[in-house]
Amino acid sequence: MFSDTPAIGKSNAALHPAAAKRVSIKDIARLARVSHSTVSRALRESPLVNPETAEKIRRIASDRGFRASAVARSLATNRTNTIGVVVTSIDDPFVAEVVKGIEDEAILHDYSVFLANCHADPEREMKVVHSFEDRRVDGIVVTASRVGALYAPVLERMHIPIVLLNNQHPSQFAHSILIDNFEGSRQAVAHLVSLGHRRIAYIGDRFGHGSDSERFSGYRAALDEADILFQPDLVVHGDGKAEGGRHAMEKLLATRPHCTAVFCYNDMTAIGAYKTIRAHGLTVPRHLSLVGFDDLPLGLYMDPPLTTVRQPKQDMGRMAMQALLKLIAGTGAEQNLRVAGELMIRQSTAAPLEHASQENQTCHYSSAPKPGRRRK
Amino acid sequence: MFSDTPAIGKSNAALHPAAAKRVSIKDIARLARVSHSTVSRALRESPLVNPETAEKIRRIASDRGFRASAVARSLATNRTNTIGVVVTSIDDPFVAEVVKGIEDEAILHDYSVFLANCHADPEREMKVVHSFEDRRVDGIVVTASRVGALYAPVLERMHIPIVLLNNQHPSQFAHSILIDNFEGSRQAVAHLVSLGHRRIAYIGDRFGHGSDSERFSGYRAALDEADILFQPDLVVHGDGKAEGGRHAMEKLLATRPHCTAVFCYNDMTAIGAYKTIRAHGLTVPRHLSLVGFDDLPLGLYMDPPLTTVRQPKQDMGRMAMQALLKLIAGTGAEQNLRVAGELMIRQSTAAPLEHASQENQTCHYSSAPKPGRRRK
DNA sequence: ACTGGCTTTGAACACGTGTGCATAAAAATG
DNA sequence: CATTTTTATGCACACGTGTTCAAAGCCAGT
């Protein structure tokens, strides 16, 4: 009541005129002639404070551009309103879309997201997870292809809610969001069957890697439903990337009789297949139908645009965040959420060439132009 | 000295056996029979503490899985070791690579990064920037196409170091990293000239948008150097995206005589051009050479792979982070950093068809463009 | 006027860590 | 051994906010 000069709280406040001391809640309190408690309440819209003084306080705070420190608040409340997102690499288009969904949902609930790449490097994974622990994030989303079995115990010890997205090993201590690989690929292959294809190949990921086995099962199921005999030589493996798709496609083109359609583990694999197919002077979908999985933006710009199974990546990101929010709130969230893919039929799939021509001259394109020849 | 039972500090610690209270620095202190100050020093490798006790403390801390709270530390030190990154949308492949570079460099220096999409929405921009301010980030990187002139004053008031990346209006209160648009496009067009092209078109961004004018200048310069008369009707505008590229290319194909090469504002524009070109039954680079800008991964998978000017996106991200670190440290950083692009010659560019086939070749000069006329 | 309840406020403490300063213990120096 | 220097440690406070608790002020009802 007796302090009429609101100017200086710290005696040396004027020492560094450049590094203007940030205005704190106490400064606002002094200006409004109330205690900092009241200011705190006013700004948090507590009903415990007189509407008039609350309004006055808010005006002063706004005038001075005061913004309460989230770090101090976090220390007091033991909540940071912050989550951590671990990804293999943000420049993976799949991951990027997921993260977008997460962040969009997060900001809606006044959460901020820490982003960290781990590059599938165990050491880096540890560092990242520890940094999240240090920062006391309220939750974590992991969008790595595999949850490091290495650092699983670390995660467990932390007692921080965790949601895994499309993770290889949904573990017991974490919740997870998963695309329905089986049903997605079953539909994809069924689509090929409905077009009239009987010799349908599958280019997988590295064996047993990722969701390869589930997608393979879907492939098998679709064949069974159509009473098509499964032929082991129509299954080859790539690496989930374009390069692997290229090589795998080479292998397929080397086996006789040719397949008329190829279902690829994912879009990148299909992209690689395109390249090999073109190099052999063949065209999609005339000679060969192609289906991918993921629905990367990339597929839209292929020639022709790629038929694929769409993963609702952004939605999945949002769902992950929502699950996390439930876990944080203590409301039970579903342990494992399966989300449905959607078959996007574009121009890379069509009916196979006439059966007649296929019978006698399966080699009509076997005299391929020298693949090695390249215009410089 | 007399407390022999290290179990309980808080009397009600056992009330919530599930919500195990986090172990704090004081718990470690009690276990090691020292003050929390000593623990703090030991863990921060201060030379002020006896090596043996330090070792002992570290062992205990490690055993209990103790990790010092970054939020408490931030409150004490007034530094969060945290930066905020504002992007238009993380699912833009350009942005994603930049962010990857930023994060990689950040984690190297024990910084964590907050990621926030603003979707080029002013309201969202404000919300994002405020959240960063609340969280007391040590610095901010903005990778939006434009720095909202709206919130510039807000940024200024915050007194937080800011680095702009490829931003439209490098402003005076912030530092910036910029690609050398002029030199990049000059080289790209010079490359086309060196292949023998004389009728070279330019598909720009929306007029005056982004770096359009700088890239256009480079185009003009290359023409001038080759003594090629600038022809206004060879300049059309897209929207920086595939759709715009498609339409722009349609316009170009409608004008006679045809151009033999097209320099596009960016890769996405070129992607759109591909589509139109194919739709007209023409092939790249046989009928038309195509050059882009950015070097998105996408371009590699085009048929044929796209010649383009590479922006070292990841490096630029790292540079932005390094500049920020310097600013935070108080060491002066360069105000404006220009980084060089690199021409990536791939298969979308080749020599034009023989002049013979271009019967009325004389008309590129004869239809004299009005001399004094200037676009704009 | 007294009681009791309601509204509004401030004092005090907590959150977990870093650090200046004083001091105790140990070592070095005379 | 006495003194000074060095080393190691603890105390106390600061950082900025939230929150419990007590209390003051006000009002209505008797």
Side-chain angles (χ1 to χ4, degrees):
Chain A
M1 296 314 174
F2 41 85
S3 143
D4 254 349
T5 121
I8 33 173
K10 308 279 298 179
S11 52
N12 58 354
L15 283 187
H16 299 281
K21 201 78 180 59
R22 269 205 85 93
V23 30
S24 90
I25 201 176
K26 288 181 190 167
D27 300 320
I28 303 300
R30 200 174 328 109
L31 261 45
R33 282 151 151 56
V34 293
S35 74
H36 81 275
S37 315
T38 303
V39 175
S40 173
R41 286 190 270 253
L43 297 181
R44 319 204 88 232
E45 318 256 328
S46 160
L48 292 182
V49 54
N50 182 307
E52 295 173 31
T53 51
E55 182 48 40
K56 173 180 162 197
I57 290 174
R58 289 198 210 95
R59 212 192 49 243
I60 294 180
S62 157
D63 284 354
R64 305 288 165 141
F66 169 74
R67 302 229 107 219
S69 161
V71 5
R73 173 181 305 139
S74 298
L75 185 58
T77 61
N78 202 27
R79 298 252 296 32
T80 56
N81 263 39
T82 276
I83 69 154
V85 177
V86 187
V87 302
T88 46
S89 180
I90 187 61
D91 66 352
D92 175 326
F94 185 97
V95 165
E97 270 194 63
V98 169
V99 170
K100 181 182 178 188
I102 295 176
E103 204 270 337
D104 280 355
E105 187 69 21
I107 207 171
L108 226 58
H109 300 268
D110 287 309
Y111 270 73
S112 291
V113 349
F114 281 115
L115 178 72
N117 305 94
C118 68
H119 301 301
D121 167 19
E123 191 181 348
R124 179 77 173 260
E125 279 173 356
M126 286 299 302
K127 186 163 184 179
V128 159
V129 168
H130 274 154
S131 87
F132 285 167
E133 185 183 8
D134 292 352
R135 301 201 179 278
R136 302 295 190 261
V137 297
D138 294 336
I140 293 182
V141 179
V142 179
T143 315
S145 52
R146 62 198 185 84
V147 64
L150 291 89
Y151 68 127
V154 183
L155 293 179
E156 202 164 7
R157 182 179 51 68
M158 296 196 306
H159 298 294
I160 297 181
I162 296 183
V163 172
L164 272 29
L165 203 145
N166 267 8
N167 224 287
Q168 199 170 354
H169 309 295
S171 87
Q172 53 291 5
F173 69 91
H175 292 230
S176 62
I177 312 271
L178 291 152
I179 186 73
D180 190 340
N181 288 301
F182 177 87
E183 184 57 19
S185 48
R186 197 192 61 75
Q187 281 184 26
V189 176
H191 163 63
L192 290 172
V193 168
S194 78
L195 287 172
H197 294 274
R198 309 277 305 168
R199 291 189 56 82
I200 302 172
Y202 172 59
I203 303 183
D205 195 355
R206 275 159 294 182
F207 197 79
H209 199 265
S211 339
D212 179 69
S213 55
E214 287 184 13
R215 291 183 195 172
F216 174 69
S217 299
Y219 163 79
R220 284 296 307 267
L223 294 187
D224 287 352
E225 288 170 11
D227 286 320
I228 299 177
L229 190 63
F230 167 63
Q231 305 207 327
D233 57 340
L234 287 186
V235 172
V236 294
H237 287 271
D239 59 0
K241 290 179 283 190
E243 196 57 19
R246 266 186 49 207
H247 292 136
M249 194 67 219
E250 290 284 1
K251 270 188 245 162
L252 281 181
L253 289 182
T255 66
R256 300 299 146 88
H258 282 313
C259 54
T260 64
V262 183
F263 170 55
C264 299
Y265 169 74
N266 64 9
D267 285 359
M268 285 315 292
T269 300
I271 304 293
Y274 266 109
K275 193 161 234 167
T276 296
I277 293 172
R278 276 197 300 261
H280 282 254
L282 307 176
T283 24
V284 177
R286 183 173 152 76
H287 303 103
L288 225 36
S289 283
L290 221 47
V291 180
F293 204 114
D294 282 354
D295 191 25
L296 301 185
L298 186 44
L300 260 181
Y301 303 115
M302 289 292 101
D303 177 31
L306 179 65
T307 293
T308 190
V309 178
R310 170 173 157 71
Q311 292 205 48
K313 301 172 276 300
Q314 209 166 317
D315 291 339
M316 291 166 75
R318 303 192 92 102
M319 291 170 65
M321 184 65 208
Q322 286 162 355
L324 211 46
L325 287 171
K326 282 186 192 165
L327 288 175
I328 293 170
T331 330
E334 302 188 55
Q335 178 86 24
N336 288 324
L337 225 49
R338 279 279 176 181
V339 7
E342 180 188 359
L343 183 61
M344 310 294 288
I345 299 177
R346 295 205 266 255
Q347 282 78 53
S348 70
T349 47
L353 288 177
E354 317 307 324
H355 289 280
S357 67
Q358 172 149 347
E359 195 59 51
N360 35 18
Q361 46 191 33
T362 45
C363 334
H364 58 288
Y365 50 77
S366 65
S367 59
K370 303 189 184 103
R373 188 174 174 284
R374 263 285 201 285
R375 181 181 20 69
K376 145 100 182 58
Chain B
M1 292 310 186
F2 43 87
S3 144
D4 254 350
T5 120
I8 33 172
K10 307 280 297 179
S11 51
N12 58 353
L15 282 187
H16 299 282
K21 200 81 179 61
R22 270 205 84 94
V23 29
S24 89
I25 202 175
K26 289 182 189 166
D27 300 319
I28 304 300
R30 199 174 328 108
L31 261 44
R33 285 151 148 54
V34 293
S35 74
H36 81 275
S37 315
T38 304
V39 176
S40 171
R41 286 190 270 253
L43 296 181
R44 318 205 88 231
E45 318 256 327
S46 159
L48 292 182
V49 56
N50 182 308
E52 296 173 32
T53 51
E55 182 50 38
K56 173 179 159 198
I57 290 174
R58 286 198 212 93
R59 213 194 46 246
I60 295 180
S62 159
D63 284 356
R64 305 286 165 145
F66 169 75
R67 303 228 106 219
S69 161
V71 4
R73 173 181 304 135
S74 296
L75 185 57
T77 61
N78 202 26
R79 299 255 288 40
T80 56
N81 263 38
T82 277
I83 68 153
V85 177
V86 186
V87 302
T88 46
S89 180
I90 187 60
D91 67 351
D92 175 326
F94 185 98
V95 165
E97 271 195 63
V98 169
V99 170
K100 182 182 178 188
I102 295 176
E103 204 272 336
D104 280 354
E105 187 70 20
I107 207 171
L108 225 60
H109 299 269
D110 287 309
Y111 270 74
S112 291
V113 349
F114 281 115
L115 178 72
N117 306 92
C118 67
H119 300 301
D121 167 20
E123 190 182 349
R124 180 78 173 259
E125 278 172 357
M126 286 299 302
K127 186 164 185 178
V128 159
V129 167
H130 275 154
S131 88
F132 285 167
E133 185 183 8
D134 292 351
R135 302 201 179 278
R136 301 296 190 262
V137 297
D138 294 337
I140 294 182
V141 179
V142 179
T143 315
S145 51
R146 62 198 184 86
V147 63
L150 290 90
Y151 68 128
V154 183
L155 293 178
E156 203 165 5
R157 182 178 51 67
M158 296 197 305
H159 297 293
I160 297 181
I162 296 183
V163 172
L164 272 30
L165 205 144
N166 266 8
N167 224 287
Q168 199 171 354
H169 308 295
S171 88
Q172 53 291 4
F173 69 92
H175 292 230
S176 63
I177 313 270
L178 291 153
I179 187 72
D180 190 339
N181 288 302
F182 177 86
E183 184 56 20
S185 49
R186 198 192 60 76
Q187 281 183 28
V189 176
H191 162 64
L192 290 171
V193 169
S194 78
L195 286 172
H197 293 275
R198 308 278 302 169
R199 289 189 58 83
I200 303 172
Y202 172 60
I203 303 183
D205 194 354
R206 272 160 296 179
F207 195 80
H209 199 266
S211 339
D212 178 71
S213 55
E214 287 184 15
R215 293 186 193 169
F216 174 69
S217 300
Y219 163 79
R220 285 295 306 266
L223 293 187
D224 287 350
E225 288 169 13
D227 286 322
I228 299 178
L229 190 63
F230 166 65
Q231 304 205 330
D233 57 341
L234 288 186
V235 172
V236 294
H237 288 271
D239 59 1
K241 291 180 282 192
E243 196 56 20
R246 266 185 48 207
H247 292 138
M249 194 67 217
E250 289 285 2
K251 272 187 245 163
L252 282 181
L253 289 182
T255 67
R256 299 298 148 87
H258 281 314
C259 54
T260 64
V262 182
F263 169 55
C264 300
Y265 169 74
N266 63 10
D267 284 1
M268 287 314 293
T269 300
I271 304 292
Y274 266 109
K275 194 160 234 168
T276 295
I277 293 171
R278 276 197 301 261
H280 281 253
L282 307 176
T283 25
V284 177
R286 184 173 150 76
H287 302 101
L288 225 35
S289 283
L290 222 47
V291 180
F293 203 114
D294 282 355
D295 191 25
L296 301 185
L298 186 45
L300 260 180
Y301 302 115
M302 288 294 101
D303 177 31
L306 179 65
T307 293
T308 190
V309 178
R310 171 172 156 71
Q311 293 204 49
K313 301 172 276 300
Q314 210 166 317
D315 291 339
M316 291 167 74
R318 303 192 92 101
M319 291 169 66
M321 184 66 207
Q322 286 162 356
L324 211 45
L325 288 171
K326 282 186 194 165
L327 288 175
I328 293 170
T331 330
E334 303 189 55
Q335 178 85 25
N336 288 323
L337 226 48
R338 278 280 176 182
V339 7
E342 181 188 1
L343 183 62
M344 308 295 288
I345 299 177
R346 294 203 266 257
Q347 282 77 51
S348 69
T349 48
L353 289 176
E354 317 308 323
H355 287 280
S357 68
Q358 218 163 330
E359 53 260 31
N360 49 355
Q361 82 261 34
T362 55
C363 54
H364 14 274
Y365 307 112
S366 61
S367 64
K370 295 133 200 160
R373 192 171 173 282
R374 262 289 206 278
R375 296 180 329 103
K376 166 174 210 168

